[in-house]
Amino acid sequence: KAGVTQTPRYLIKTRGQQVTLSCSPISGHRSVSWYQQTPGQGLQFLFEYFSETQRNKGNFPGRFSGRQFSNSRSEMNVSTLELGDSALYLCASSLARTGRMNTEAFFGQGTRLTVV
Amino acid sequence: QKEVEQNSGPLSVPEGAIASLNCTYSDRGSQSFFWYRQYSGKSPELIMFIYSNGDKEDGRFTAQLNKASQYVSLLIRDSQPSDSATYLCAVNNMKTSYDKVIFGPGTSLSVIP
């Protein structure tokens, strides 16, 4: 069974540009979460999508947005890039069964974004 | 107070010793607790999860949960140099109606040969 696939793996952008990252979850997983990881802040929750709806959102500015498609694939967009947006962006998928149990998240390899 | 807290370390243990990693959380309604291992430059991988109070053992790993104290720990017996990594504690947050997994900052473990 294929794992979580994130593309691209590496990206270099300049300040002010925008970027779109893609995540394909494990087949059958309907929940996709996005995280930003930096050495100083650790793993910070961005948002979570389930059945094309954003269910949870972390404390990030509106420049960070996302969406989920009917096949559960998700994209994350960052507009007006800032130097501080340089980070590893991780996507995780889970079954998210009802009853709030068994929500193990499986991570993709991440997209390393560098803003110059 | 942060939702999930861990000692950042680094925690250094000699090879063969027991490594003890601790995590506390603030949401009393949390029901699911996870330990992830992350090697440098890699993405986190799930090593254990626990839902009920008490201990759960899997090979050299034991997760311990105490909901009354809002505390979860991970013990690694017979530590190996290959266990050197950052260990992330994750808790599902019940403040919303849906699952939301919150990660702690991670504890860096170094196993010295």
Side-chain angles (χ1 to χ4, degrees), chain B residues 34-104:
Chain B
F34 309 90
W35 283 100
Y36 286 81
R37 176 177 61 201
Q38 186 174 24
Y39 291 113
S40 180
K42 302 292 185 183
S43 57
E45 56 176 336
L46 180 70
I47 52 174
M48 286 199 74
F49 60 87
I50 186 167
Y51 302 138
S52 304
N53 275 328
D55 295 359
K56 179 181 178 182
E57 188 174 316
D58 183 1
R60 296 186 296 112
F61 298 95
T62 299
Q64 299 175 317
L65 175 62
N66 184 325
K67 290 187 178 180
S69 300
Q70 294 174 245
Y71 173 93
V72 58
S73 66
L74 180 70
L75 301 178
I76 306 175
R77 291 182 301 281
D78 187 25
S79 295
Q80 302 297 308
S82 59
D83 294 326
S84 297
T86 296
Y87 289 80
L88 301 165
C89 170
V91 176
N92 84 319
N93 188 308
M94 303 299 290
K95 287 184 179 176
T96 64
S97 301
Y98 304 102
D99 298 316
K100 178 180 175 181
V101 179
I102 302 296
F103 283 81

Side-chain angles (χ1 to χ4, degrees), chain A residues 43-73:
Chain A
L43 205 61
Q44 301 288 308
F45 174 78
L46 280 155
F47 28 66
E48 186 241 352
Y49 286 87
F50 182 86
S51 293
E52 303 179 65
T53 300
Q54 186 183 88
R55 296 198 302 187
N56 290 292
K57 190 175 189 306
N59 296 322
F60 277 81
R63 299 185 297 107
F64 292 82
S65 63
R67 59 177 175 168
Q68 186 180 35
F69 302 95
S70 59
N71 61 358
S72 293
R73 189 178 72 86

